[in-house]
Amino acid sequence: MIKRKLLTQIKTDMTEKKFDLNIEKILESWEPAHAVREIIANALDEELLTDTEEIKIFKRPDGAWCIRDFGRGLNYFHLTQNENQEKQKHPKVIGNFGIGLKDALATLDRNSIDVEINSSHQSFRTARLAKGEFGDVTTLHAVIGPAKFPDMKGTEFILKGLADEDMEKAKQLFLRFTESSLIESTSKGDIIGRDTKNDASYIYINGVKVAEEANFLFSYNITYLDAKIRKSLNRERTNVGRSAYTEAIKRILKKSNSRIAAFLLANDLKRLSENESFDELSWVDVQIHAISTLNALGDYIFVTNEEVVNNTSIIDDAKNEGRSLIVIPKNLKAKIDNVKDASGNAITSLENFLSAYNESFSFEFCEADELSERKKYIWSFLAEIVDLYGGLPERVREIKLSKTMRKTISEDNTLGCWDPLEDNIVISVKALDSLECFAGTLMHELVHAKTNFHDVTREFENELTELIGKLAVKLLN
């Protein structure tokens, strides 16, 4: 039995071939997790390229970790490639560099982790051996032998001495193995929920984490790789700079039609003026897209803080109609005036809401006998106030009372109006809260009726000034 084992070992050694990996630069910054990442990435790429079953990652009874795909199987010539042309042509694969596997093997060797690789083509292990005929120089070699399992499908990597925490750390570098919540998939990439547990957002490229953002509202998986992104994917594929992926993230957000994403973005706009918003909100085109998306998807009204304070009645009407309030910065409001949403509708600003409200408005007229005794008493001074003014202007047919009034931005709580279409002065029942209010409102509308000038015009102001002068003369005499 011993003799047979020795003969087998000798035969195996005789068929083994030593392949110098020619790794000139070892990535000293890489940890075991980075090496395992490369192996997992290759397995996922093979799964994608061959449309085979999902890869498996598991711990064996002997404590070794196994990474297994079910593709075409690793061959020795994969160790010779600097760039994998098949991967470069496929838009969804993770890897671009054939040397990634070599880097992984070197890192594992540096961390005293034994590697065994099996496929239907060959078996592989690593060893430090003399470089060619130079016995005093040792380099990392792949020792390639005959296949142990000629009928197996795919490739398995067996890692002995790899700590469980390093495997978990490696898996967390892949979107597939996280517990992230997908918000929306677009043609340019995915919008993913922020990691609230660790208070961070992550940037993935084709499912591999390349950067971390402390102040992003979402995480992102970029699946459309332009030249800038491809160039940024350095050998290490870690700590990719924001400048490399900013435009890619903008493209994802501008392709988004998700109510959740748009609402979260737009709802964060109110913090923009306080410099406390998430970084995506600093991009104006993203701000506008979020607003237009929400406008098309639901009943919202977009207002500034100042408008909320100064137009409480109109805001209440909007809320009563079922509209949700989105507060936006004042400088952004000017930029959405001419914006149309996906349905071709104008953004519902305060002005647009008010215009639509007034178009469908109808007065709710009432008679004096419906009033309270106090309001009836104040209304009884109608003729005296008109006489004090100088008589009813010729064009006025009637002075009416209404429980409802049209609204304006400049005058949130309108107490009276001149209706030129019907030639009527309409007084709000609320104006009868005091004689002073009623008299002032009626005088104001009598000037409108006489002149047909609008508020804040020079002509209207001149007429009002003249009226005040005449009243003062009457009182002084």
Side-chain angles (χ1 to χ4, degrees):
M1 178 66 72
I2 296 175
K3 185 176 180 181
R4 182 178 296 177
K5 285 185 176 180
L6 287 172
L7 288 173
T8 303
Q9 184 63 49
I10 291 170
K11 185 177 179 181
T12 301
D13 291 341
M14 288 176 63
T15 57
E16 284 185 338
K17 296 180 180 180
K18 293 137 180 94
F19 186 95
D20 191 343
L21 294 176
N22 287 317
I23 299 176
E24 298 177 1
K25 181 183 178 182
I26 296 177
L27 299 176
E28 298 291 343
S29 63
W30 270 24
E31 301 173 0
H34 296 114
V36 177
R37 176 196 63 189
E38 292 300 309
I39 297 171
I40 295 175
N42 281 336
L44 289 171
D45 285 346
E46 188 65 11
E47 175 191 316
L48 178 65
L49 292 168
T50 59
D51 192 25
T52 47
E53 63 181 281
E54 286 191 9
I55 71 168
K56 297 185 184 301
I57 301 175
F58 59 93
K59 193 172 185 180
R60 303 197 321 178
D62 64 359
W65 278 97
C66 182
I67 301 168
R68 172 78 188 275
D69 70 63
F70 299 89
R72 294 162 293 188
L74 188 73
N75 212 325
Y76 69 90
F77 55 75
H78 291 117
L79 300 173
T80 67
Q81 294 175 332
N82 287 327
E83 292 183 344
N84 187 317
Q85 296 300 319
E86 181 185 32
K87 288 188 175 185
Q88 285 193 326
K89 292 177 182 178
H90 199 292
K92 300 299 182 184
V93 299
I94 297 167
N96 281 321
F97 300 92
I99 56 176
L101 177 56
K102 294 182 180 182
D103 290 329
L105 294 175
T107 300
L108 293 170
D109 176 75
R110 176 164 53 84
N111 286 275
S112 301
I113 297 169
D114 292 332
V115 182
E116 179 185 333
I117 309 170
N118 290 304
S119 76
S120 62
H121 305 293
Q122 289 101 24
S123 63
F124 305 79
R125 61 183 175 84
T126 56
R128 290 203 162 269
L129 303 170
K131 187 173 180 65
E133 298 179 0
F134 299 92
D136 58 339
V137 178
T138 60
T139 59
L140 188 64
H141 285 62
V143 180
I144 304 170
K148 293 182 179 180
F149 311 105
D151 297 328
M152 77 176 294
K153 292 182 179 180
T155 305
E156 69 171 2
F157 280 75
I158 301 170
L159 309 177
K160 298 177 180 178
L162 178 71
D164 293 355
E165 55 266 30
D166 286 327
M167 174 56 79
E168 184 58 30
K169 189 183 294 186
K171 289 176 68 176
Q172 289 303 306
L173 295 174
F174 294 87
L175 182 58
R176 176 185 287 198
F177 303 115
T178 67
E179 297 179 355
S180 302
S181 57
L182 176 66
I183 294 175
E184 183 182 11
S185 287
T186 77
S187 59
K188 303 300 181 181
D190 306 321
I191 302 174
I192 303 161
R194 178 180 172 84
D195 182 355
T196 54
K197 181 179 179 181
N198 295 304
D199 194 26
S201 295
Y202 309 116
I203 309 301
Y204 300 88
I205 294 180
N206 280 339
V208 180
K209 187 165 77 172
V210 298
E212 183 172 325
E213 289 284 356
N215 198 45
F216 268 19
L217 179 57
F218 305 113
S219 293
Y220 300 91
N221 180 33
I222 301 167
T223 58
Y224 173 77
L225 278 59
D226 59 15
K228 192 171 186 178
I229 288 283
R230 291 185 181 278
K231 188 176 180 180
S232 71
L233 289 176
N234 50 28
R235 184 180 174 191
E236 293 85 352
R237 287 215 297 272
T238 55
N239 301 318
V240 174
R242 182 187 288 193
S243 61
Y245 52 76
T246 294
E247 291 304 317
I249 291 174
K250 285 183 182 180
R251 283 193 290 266
I252 293 173
L253 289 170
K254 288 162 68 176
K255 284 288 183 181
S256 169
N257 294 310
S258 163
R259 182 193 299 270
I260 296 173
F263 177 78
L264 291 174
L265 282 165
N267 198 48
D268 196 51
L269 285 171
K270 58 189 176 186
R271 302 197 307 149
L272 193 61
S273 59
E274 302 167 3
N275 295 319
E276 294 180 354
S277 63
F278 289 102
D279 290 354
E280 293 99 320
L281 274 301
S282 64
W283 304 328
V284 175
D285 44 356
V286 171
Q287 298 171 5
I288 293 174
H289 179 76
I291 290 173
S292 62
T293 299
L294 273 187
N295 199 75
L297 289 174
D299 293 326
Y300 296 90
I301 181 170
F302 302 90
V303 294
T304 65
N305 272 318
E306 184 179 8
E307 288 173 334
V308 172
V309 172
N310 295 332
N311 298 275
T312 55
S313 177
I314 301 173
I315 297 297
D316 286 343
D317 287 331
K319 289 180 178 178
N320 291 335
E321 277 195 9
R323 292 190 177 273
S324 299
L325 207 65
I326 301 291
V327 180
I328 62 174
K330 190 174 182 179
N331 62 342
L332 178 59
K333 184 178 183 299
K335 295 173 184 175
I336 63 172
D337 283 343
N338 299 316
V339 172
K340 302 289 185 182
D341 65 22
S343 302
N345 298 316
I347 303 301
T348 307
S349 62
L350 190 68
E351 292 87 351
N352 290 337
F353 171 79
L354 186 59
S355 176
Y357 177 90
N358 284 333
E359 281 181 10
S360 60
F361 172 82
S362 60
F363 290 107
E364 187 180 345
F365 295 115
C366 64
E367 300 298 328
D369 58 9
E370 300 177 44
L371 301 175
S372 65
E373 292 303 317
R374 169 67 178 167
K375 290 184 185 292
K376 284 180 183 177
Y377 171 73
I378 293 173
W379 179 250
S380 68
F381 285 91
L382 173 65
E384 292 180 53
I385 297 171
V386 171
D387 185 62
L388 190 61
Y389 173 76
L392 200 64
E394 290 184 5
R395 66 175 66 187
V396 179
R397 292 171 53 198
E398 192 175 356
I399 298 175
K400 294 186 171 185
L401 281 170
S402 177
K403 296 178 181 179
T404 58
M405 297 295 294
R406 288 192 181 93
K407 300 178 185 294
T408 66
I409 298 289
S410 59
E411 192 173 358
D412 188 29
N413 191 21
T414 306
L415 296 175
C417 73
W418 160 242
D419 183 1
L421 296 179
E422 300 293 334
D423 290 334
N424 292 328
I425 290 176
V426 183
I427 301 297
S428 170
V429 170
K430 293 179 181 178
L432 301 179
D433 285 346
S434 71
L435 180 58
E436 179 183 359
C437 180
F438 174 46
T441 301
L442 181 55
M443 288 279 191
H444 186 100
E445 300 309 328
L446 286 167
V447 174
H448 277 305
K450 177 183 176 182
T451 64
N452 218 27
F453 294 141
H454 296 294
D455 282 332
V456 198
T457 61
R458 182 179 296 275
E459 293 83 359
F460 179 79
E461 295 295 331
N462 288 341
E463 190 70 25
L464 200 58
T465 301
E466 184 177 337
L467 171 62
I468 294 170
K470 289 179 179 178
L471 292 174
V473 170
K474 287 184 179 180
L475 292 172
L476 292 172
N477 292 331

